[in-house]
Amino acid sequence: MEFRDFDGVKVRRPSVERDGLASEEALFRGDFDFDSVHLDGGGHDGVRGGGEITHSLVSDVNLANARLDRLALSDVVFEGVDLSNATIRELTARRAEILGCRAIGLGVSITSASDLYVENARFDYASVDVVRVKSAVVFSGCSFRETVFSGDLSRLTFVDCQFTETEFAATGAVGCDLRGSRLSGVRGLLTLRGAKITSEQAVSLAGIIAAESGLSVIG
């Protein structure tokens, strides 16, 4: 059992035996169910489907413009997958890693997540709704330019991420950790009650917080 540790926040890593995985064509059309396979490459632009993936590696697959009604991940690694302008209506993730993926314009509803780790992914112009987080969810080195974050953001941890013109519409944010990330021109800060930021971030965001509070800052 292996963990990633971020200042005491531990994310359990997926149980994926890469060397022992059988290669299989990445067919995401209709109902699918993949177990203990390596889905490598292939273009599936605009595909429609839904299903489950367990104990598997998914690498360099093009799912741009895909429409997935349901995607259940358990002990899964995504590497270099293109999810640009895709829609995932219901994503459940348990011990999953999403590494170096493109998610520009992605629309996703995370209905349940536990031990989810996302690294170096671009979520620019995306829409991310979080329904339930059961245990640690960490985003590291990700870009969220003009992304809309909604739902319960409690217990999410962001490490060295970039938030530019990001809009927050949180229903909960207790324990959401934004320390170490860069916040520029963000909106909806007052919905992040209970989130963690540094004193330096608080100073740089003071004008935005005042404006959202209805204060007139003069002089």
Side-chain angles (χ1 to χ4, degrees):
M1 188 181 302
E2 297 183 8
F3 291 86
R4 294 181 185 269
D5 193 335
F6 298 90
D7 194 23
V9 176
K10 293 185 177 182
V11 185
R12 185 175 172 183
R13 303 197 65 178
S15 176
V16 179
E17 299 294 338
R18 294 183 179 232
D19 294 338
L21 298 177
S23 295
E24 187 168 329
E25 187 176 0
L27 295 177
F28 290 90
R29 183 175 291 103
D31 294 329
F32 55 82
D33 187 353
F34 298 110
D35 187 359
S36 302
V37 295
H38 180 192
L39 306 173
D40 186 17
H44 306 278
D45 191 297
V47 71
R48 294 177 180 270
E52 302 181 6
I53 307 175
T54 59
H55 297 287
S56 297
L57 170 64
V58 182
S59 62
D60 301 317
V61 175
N62 180 8
L63 288 172
N65 302 299
R67 298 293 181 267
L68 302 178
D69 290 332
R70 181 176 66 93
L71 180 60
L73 307 177
S74 181
D75 289 300
V76 172
V77 177
F78 268 42
E79 288 184 349
V81 175
D82 190 348
L83 292 164
S84 299
N85 298 311
T87 298
I88 305 175
R89 293 182 60 188
E90 295 183 9
L91 172 64
T92 60
R94 183 167 59 98
R95 296 187 300 278
E97 293 185 346
I98 300 174
L99 312 174
C101 295
R102 286 172 55 86
I104 298 172
L106 171 69
V108 58
S109 178
I110 303 175
T111 55
S112 179
S114 57
D115 293 302
L116 171 63
Y117 176 68
V118 186
E119 178 181 89
N120 294 335
R122 292 188 61 188
F123 288 90
D124 301 340
Y125 315 108
S127 174
V128 181
D129 180 64
V130 183
V131 178
R132 185 182 184 190
V133 172
K134 294 182 177 180
S135 63
V137 173
V138 175
F139 293 85
S140 177
C142 296
S143 174
F144 299 103
R145 176 180 291 275
E146 296 189 40
T147 300
V148 177
F149 265 104
S150 60
D152 189 356
L153 309 185
S154 305
R155 303 173 70 182
L156 298 187
T157 298
F158 297 93
V159 180
D160 195 27
C161 292
Q162 178 70 53
F163 296 89
T164 305
E165 303 294 333
T166 307
E167 180 178 348
F168 295 102
T171 58
V174 175
C176 177
D177 196 342
L178 295 163
R179 297 174 296 174
S181 291
R182 294 171 294 284
L183 304 168
S184 176
V186 297
R187 302 182 298 280
L189 286 174
L190 295 186
T191 71
L192 296 176
R193 292 177 178 85
K196 302 174 184 178
I197 61 175
T198 65
S199 57
E200 290 81 3
Q201 287 173 317
V203 171
S204 66
L205 296 172
I208 298 175
I209 295 173
E212 290 190 356
S213 300
L215 298 174
S216 296
V217 180
I218 302 174

